[in-house]
Amino acid sequence: MDPGKSRDSAETARVMQFPNDVLERILSLIDSHRDRSAVSLVSKAWYNAERWTRRHVFIGNCYAVLPQIVARRFPNIRGVMLKGKPRFSDFNMVPPNWGADVHAWLAVFADQYPLLEELRLKRMTVTDESLKFLARKFRNFRALSLVSCDGFSTDGLEAIATDCRHLTELDIQENGIDDISGNWLSCFPENFTSLEVLNFASLSSDVNFDALERLVSQCKSLKILKVNKNITLEQLQRLLVRAPQLTELGTGSFLQELTAHQYVELERAFISCKNLHALSGLWEATTLYLPVLYPACTELTFLNLSYAALQSEELAKLVAHCPHLQRLWVLDTVEDVGLEAVASNCPLLEELRVFPADPYDQDINRGVTESGFLAVSLGCRKLHYVLYFCRQMTNAAVARIVQNCPGFTHFRLCIMKPGQPDYLTNEPMDEGFGAVVKTCTNLRRLGVSGLLTDLTFEYIGRYAKNLETLSVAFAEGSDRGMQCILDGCPKMRKLEIRDSPFGNVALLSGLEKYESMRSLWMSACKVTLSGCKLLARQRPRLNVEVMKDEVDDGQSYKVYVYRTLAGPRTDAPSFVCTL
Amino acid sequence: MAAQGEDLNLEATELRLGLPGTVESEKQQAPPSGRSMKRNLIDVNNKCGSDKEESNGSSAQKCEKQDVHRPSKAQVVGWPPVRSYRKNCFQKKAESESTGVFIKVSMDGAPYLRKIDLKLYKGYADLLKDLQDMFKFKVVEYCEREGYNGSQFVPTYEDKDGDWMLVGDVPWNMFITSCKRLRIMKGSSEVSKGLKT
């Protein structure tokens, strides 16, 4: 320190010398991971106080650090969130057995965190053995959330239900698993009462309904219940009357021939759910039974209709009852007309996701277009998160959309035909995305598509100063495009690129950048092995992994680059080469 | 296909991973990967760029024509980026949608029957319009209480249980799964009068 500033340093020293327990008390109130990271950088004392008081740790890339290092730094962890595979593995672009097996982590946790309560995994491989291990070794275990994971079966879930006596949360979402039977639900003990969250919507086997009904009756704290498609409307009614305190509901199939009496009973059940703010499921929902939802819709903030192929009129009638809607997920079967109804009825909407009902259908007359998106931007000025799959788009529409809603934080536009230009002018979509980054200064996540040249990336580099995540597919242009991004976006953390003409020059221009990012993915680009080797040599703290797709004829290589404290991974399969 | 010579030049100068001497085999015909589809676009752009005499409009048209070579149902791995779970949910739906629901349609007084695929219609309005065109008759708008009161003809159907029902009484989705055949009855017939009550 500068001796001339001795008064300041004395001042600082006084502040730093909080008694440790006072400091720890204060820091234990801080939950945000980013805040805690910042706190840990202040001084050695604060680093220590922070690490002793941290209860939850989030590891965005399971290969960035070893579990032993985590345990050494943070001795008192009660909850862990781990993410594994690169995001493109959700779309079958990562071969099976790639890695991200949680078991090595569990083994260390069993030793270091025997009191572990929560485990949240995304894109990890979890075997039945791991689930059995988890149930056996952690006597205090409470919450398990598995999203987009693979490797386990319903047998593993049986172990969890049987042995986790204090389980409050079981959340199983969209995993590629072996759904052998629904018997796991019957494995909860007779007097089990602690469940608060139960989500088995994506499992397909039948569960024993009596067991489910009993479970729901006994768990008075149950707040979130999402059942699977096999639960009928009649059964749903029986569950609802036992759990009027629910705040989030995922229904089963919404199509069943009900008698008039059953219909009234169902309606009554929904009326009695006065705390419902999120609704999902609704498989096969049609105009006939959607009206039973209307009484429950007034307080709804999140409506997930992405498994119900509603037509525009059906959606229009439904959203007319949802004035407080903040988040809406739909299928593109609702078409522009449906979205116009959303615009008229849901002024508080902040998030919209439109998924394609038939992603491979090339018929441009189906689905949503730029006018649907435009309509929503006019009616919903608080819109800041959009995921939009469409078959046509124009630069002018995109520019107007962001003019109406300059507050976008997440703008993910997927024009489904690769490399498709503005359908009216035939020009690239450069100006549209340029408008997005120029106008939306808070943009954190961007997904681009359509015909794009270097200009798009020049705009992104120049204007998207808060951008953290960027997805690029089937772009045109040259190395310069990727260079602009790497040079220009100071907050870039996750960059994923496929089928775009960026080569070694582009890859190596990021030498200074990659250690400040979580990861880079490039597949079917123009990068060569020698470029990757050069990168690996220059930056030993990066893992540069090259994958040759076994299924393909040897033309496509996938490059995954990520910063790590753990060195090259020891569990890499034969098709992954760490340079 | 566009000049083979141009393709080879691109190949020679292109940097990509692969053993020397490997040639990208016949991908031009049916490009399964996005990479080859993109190559088409590069060719197209080159061609458009070099034709300086032509106006923008017509060179754009030329690009469009060459784009047509792309097969319509070419599936690129991992594109569009929809999670496998979500795709699987709808693939099943799509499969069931591909089989049509063919039923016979008869009209009182007409000499022969017609056959229609119910899956091709979006709803009752669509179906009734088509039936009226096909058999050259008119109906008034359906209402729950009165049915087709006042029409010269009344559309009816036989359901799974063998009962004759009025077209329009049940939701469309339920109708297409339970309808076995259609009969357009004369409004004055005893049967159709019976259906109104």
Side-chain angles (χ1 to χ4, degrees):
Chain A
M1 272 199 214
D2 186 1
K5 294 194 173 168
S6 55
R7 186 157 58 92
D8 285 341
S9 59
E11 194 77 52
T12 318
R14 260 202 297 281
V15 170
M16 299 301 195
Q17 273 157 24
F18 267 146
N20 257 348
D21 44 343
V22 174
L23 187 55
E24 284 183 15
R25 185 83 176 82
I26 297 171
L27 294 182
S28 64
L29 298 170
I30 298 178
D31 285 328
S32 146
H33 295 294
R34 289 194 189 184
D35 287 346
R36 279 188 162 269
S37 277
V39 159
S40 69
L41 295 172
V42 170
S43 71
K44 207 140 180 113
W46 284 48
Y47 175 89
N48 279 317
E50 192 282 308
R51 75 185 189 92
W52 279 97
T53 55
R54 195 187 286 227
R55 291 279 176 271
H56 293 85
V57 68
F58 167 76
I59 294 151
N61 175 3
C62 66
Y63 286 121
V65 68
L66 290 172
Q68 295 86 338
I69 297 175
V70 175
R72 197 163 57 221
R73 178 172 171 187
F74 301 115
N76 290 319
I77 296 295
R78 297 296 158 97
V80 178
M81 172 151 194
L82 274 168
K83 289 188 177 181
K85 298 179 220 172
R87 196 180 76 96
F88 278 174
S89 70
D90 280 349
F91 317 126
N92 296 332
M93 290 175 70
V94 173
N97 305 315
W98 179 86
D101 193 318
V102 76
H103 204 87
W105 290 83
L106 290 180
V108 171
F109 291 161
D111 220 23
Q112 303 292 323
Y113 302 144
L115 296 177
L116 190 71
E117 295 174 5
E118 291 178 24
L119 190 63
R120 295 173 199 286
L121 305 177
K122 191 169 187 182
R123 290 187 207 106
M124 304 259 328
T125 293
V126 185
T127 59
D128 284 341
E129 284 62 49
S130 292
L131 289 175
K132 290 172 187 165
F133 184 83
L134 179 66
R136 219 173 44 237
K137 292 280 184 176
F138 299 91
R139 301 275 93 214
N140 221 24
F141 195 73
R142 286 167 204 278
L144 179 65
S145 167
L146 301 171
V147 178
S148 210
C149 295
D150 70 328
F152 63 101
S153 76
T154 42
D155 286 351
L157 296 181
E158 282 188 19
I160 299 289
T162 311
D163 294 325
C164 297
R165 298 286 155 150
H166 306 288
L167 200 70
T168 57
E169 178 176 339
L170 184 60
D171 183 6
I172 311 291
Q173 286 184 48
E174 299 190 9
N175 302 286
I177 66 164
D178 241 333
D179 198 332
I180 301 169
S181 91
N183 189 51
W184 59 273
L185 189 97
S186 309
C187 291
F188 283 106
E190 283 273 332
N191 53 355
F192 190 76
T193 57
S194 49
L195 216 52
E196 295 169 22
V197 177
L198 179 62
N199 178 0
F200 64 98
S202 60
L203 297 180
S204 52
S205 321
D206 269 314
V207 297
N208 180 310
F209 182 71
D210 289 333
L212 177 61
E213 198 174 5
R214 190 177 59 236
L215 192 64
V216 169
S217 316
Q218 285 173 189
C219 297
K220 300 288 179 208
S221 304
L222 191 68
K223 288 283 188 300
I224 297 175
L225 176 64
K226 298 184 186 177
V227 300
N228 70 9
K229 221 188 293 194
N230 305 341
I231 301 295
T232 66
L233 278 177
E234 197 189 335
Q235 290 173 328
L236 181 69
Q237 185 269 336
R238 286 162 64 180
L239 295 174
L240 288 179
V241 299
R242 279 160 183 68
Q245 76 281 4
L246 286 179
T247 58
E248 292 184 33
L249 173 69
T251 75
S253 164
F254 226 69
L255 181 70
Q256 182 192 355
E257 278 189 50
L258 294 180
T259 65
H261 176 72
Q262 284 172 322
Y263 185 99
V264 167
E265 291 291 285
L266 184 61
E267 210 174 20
R268 210 173 279 158
F270 271 104
I271 292 172
S272 71
C273 289
K274 301 205 185 298
N275 299 306
L276 222 49
H277 63 73
L279 198 54
S280 58
L282 300 166
W283 281 282
E284 296 156 330
T286 63
T287 341
L288 191 64
Y289 296 116
L290 283 174
V292 305
L293 297 175
Y294 294 168
C297 284
T298 23
E299 297 310 313
L300 269 193
T301 57
F302 177 34
L303 184 55
N304 181 354
L305 297 168
S306 62
Y307 294 105
L310 295 190
Q311 306 298 309
S312 40
E313 310 85 57
E314 291 168 322
L315 179 67
K317 285 196 198 129
L318 182 55
V319 293
H321 292 86
C322 307
H324 295 114
L325 211 55
Q326 291 171 15
R327 299 169 63 207
L328 176 65
W329 296 17
V330 290
L331 283 175
D332 63 359
T333 49
V334 303
E335 296 182 342
D336 292 332
V337 178
L339 295 180
E340 282 159 27
V342 173
S344 319
N345 289 289
C346 308
L348 302 178
L349 199 70
E350 297 178 23
E351 175 181 326
L352 174 69
R353 301 195 196 198
V354 182
F355 296 96
D358 190 352
Y360 303 116
D361 184 7
Q362 298 280 327
D363 181 359
I364 52 156
N365 291 320
R366 299 212 342 224
V368 294
T369 71
E370 74 278 11
S371 21
F373 197 169
L374 193 52
V376 178
S377 74
L378 278 166
C380 310
R381 296 307 175 111
K382 292 177 153 215
L383 201 61
H384 68 85
Y385 189 126
V386 169
L387 170 61
Y388 202 80
F389 284 84
C390 58
R391 293 188 173 89
Q392 65 185 53
M393 188 51 64
T394 67
N395 286 307
V398 175
R400 280 178 62 199
I401 285 163
V402 293
Q403 210 168 28
N404 295 332
C405 301
F408 269 109
T409 55
H410 298 69
F411 193 94
R412 305 166 63 188
L413 178 61
C414 182
I415 302 167
M416 287 194 270
K417 192 162 161 206
Q420 185 174 298
D422 176 321
Y423 81 100
L424 285 181
T425 65
N426 248 331
E427 281 169 10
M429 292 299 299
D430 298 337
E431 293 306 319
F433 288 112
V436 174
V437 292
K438 280 179 210 166
T439 318
C440 306
T441 50
N442 290 329
L443 197 69
R444 297 205 304 269
R445 181 169 183 181
L446 181 63
V448 296
S449 59
L451 179 60
L452 304 171
T453 71
D454 279 342
L455 189 54
T456 297
F457 306 109
E458 282 174 31
Y459 283 140
I460 294 175
R462 204 183 319 160
Y463 295 103
K465 294 307 175 186
N466 283 315
L467 195 63
E468 298 176 12
T469 308
L470 177 63
S471 295
V472 181
F474 304 104
E476 300 279 306
S478 68
D479 285 330
R480 176 173 159 65
M482 186 170 161
Q483 260 176 290
C484 286
I485 299 168
L486 293 168
D487 286 339
C489 300
K491 297 198 181 169
M492 184 61 65
R493 288 189 304 117
K494 292 177 277 183
L495 182 55
E496 48 186 29
I497 304 172
R498 63 168 292 178
D499 296 87
S500 302
F502 306 133
N504 293 337
V505 173
L507 178 70
L508 294 167
S509 71
L511 267 179
E512 306 296 317
K513 187 81 164 197
Y514 300 132
E515 279 181 28
S516 67
M517 286 170 54
R518 183 187 296 174
S519 64
L520 165 72
W521 167 284
M522 292 178 76
S523 59
C525 296
K526 297 196 171 186
V527 172
T528 73
L529 214 52
S530 59
C532 296
K533 280 186 178 154
L534 199 60
L535 176 61
R537 218 176 303 138
Q538 301 257 26
R539 287 285 179 270
R541 287 197 300 195
L542 298 177
N543 274 355
V544 180
E545 295 181 5
V546 173
M547 259 190 283
K548 195 180 135 183
D549 199 335
E550 287 174 330
V551 178
D552 213 315
D553 64 0
Q555 290 310 317
S556 70
Y557 276 73
K558 297 165 183 170
V559 182
Y560 185 47
V561 179
Y562 56 92
R563 66 179 176 189
T564 180
L565 297 173
R569 53 182 180 117
T570 52
D571 64 352
S574 55
F575 58 82
V576 173
C577 177
T578 310
L579 300 175
Chain B
M1 202 56 222
Q4 286 286 326
E6 276 186 84
D7 281 344
L8 287 172
N9 276 340
L10 281 175
E11 261 183 18
T13 56
E14 188 180 294
L15 288 176
R16 52 190 174 83
L17 296 173
L19 295 170
T22 52
V23 178
E24 192 153 1
S25 56
E26 315 304 299
K27 278 206 174 164
Q28 270 78 356
Q29 298 134 306
S33 80
R35 202 128 168 270
S36 311
M37 285 161 80
K38 201 162 56 59
R39 175 159 297 151
N40 284 342
L41 205 59
I42 295 173
D43 288 345
V44 156
N45 282 340
N46 280 342
K47 196 145 177 70
C48 290
S50 61
D51 290 324
K52 289 206 178 87
E53 305 96 281
E54 291 181 22
S55 66
N56 272 344
S58 57
S59 68
Q61 261 183 0
K62 232 181 174 170
C63 294
E64 273 184 316
K65 284 195 191 126
Q66 290 183 317
D67 270 358
V68 170
H69 285 297
R70 206 168 295 173
S72 56
K73 276 263 182 179
Q75 283 188 24
V76 178
V77 174
W79 190 264
V82 176
R83 276 197 191 161
S84 322
Y85 174 76
R86 195 175 281 285
K87 260 189 338 215
N88 290 339
C89 277
F90 287 99
Q91 244 150 34
K92 292 195 184 110
K93 204 180 158 73
E95 271 154 28
S96 64
E97 274 175 2
S98 64
T99 58
V101 175
F102 286 93
I103 54 144
K104 288 183 193 168
V105 187
S106 64
M107 178 154 119
D108 290 354
Y112 51 82
L113 279 62
R114 301 298 304 268
K115 210 158 203 194
I116 58 173
D117 179 1
L118 287 180
K119 291 264 176 158
L120 293 180
Y121 301 100
K122 288 189 207 147
Y124 284 120
D126 211 12
L127 171 67
L128 289 171
K129 182 172 176 303
D130 205 36
L131 289 176
Q132 289 173 81
D133 282 339
M134 213 185 273
F135 288 95
K136 308 280 179 283
F137 69 99
K138 286 225 179 327
V139 287
V140 302
E141 209 169 304
Y142 165 85
C143 83
E144 222 173 285
R145 195 135 42 105
E146 300 285 321
Y148 295 93
N149 202 9
S151 294
Q152 211 190 356
F153 288 97
V154 179
T156 66
Y157 71 100
E158 186 182 3
D159 75 358
K160 274 193 286 216
D161 302 323
D163 298 321
W164 283 95
M165 315 280 294
L166 201 62
V167 168
D169 275 347
V170 300
W172 177 254
N173 288 343
M174 215 180 267
F175 169 70
I176 55 179
T177 52
S178 59
C179 172
K180 290 216 335 252
R181 46 202 284 226
L182 273 166
R183 180 180 157 195
I184 300 162
M185 294 185 181
K186 277 224 177 68
S188 56
S189 83
E190 287 309 311
V191 184
S192 78
K193 282 209 185 101
L195 282 168
K196 275 186 237 164
T197 49

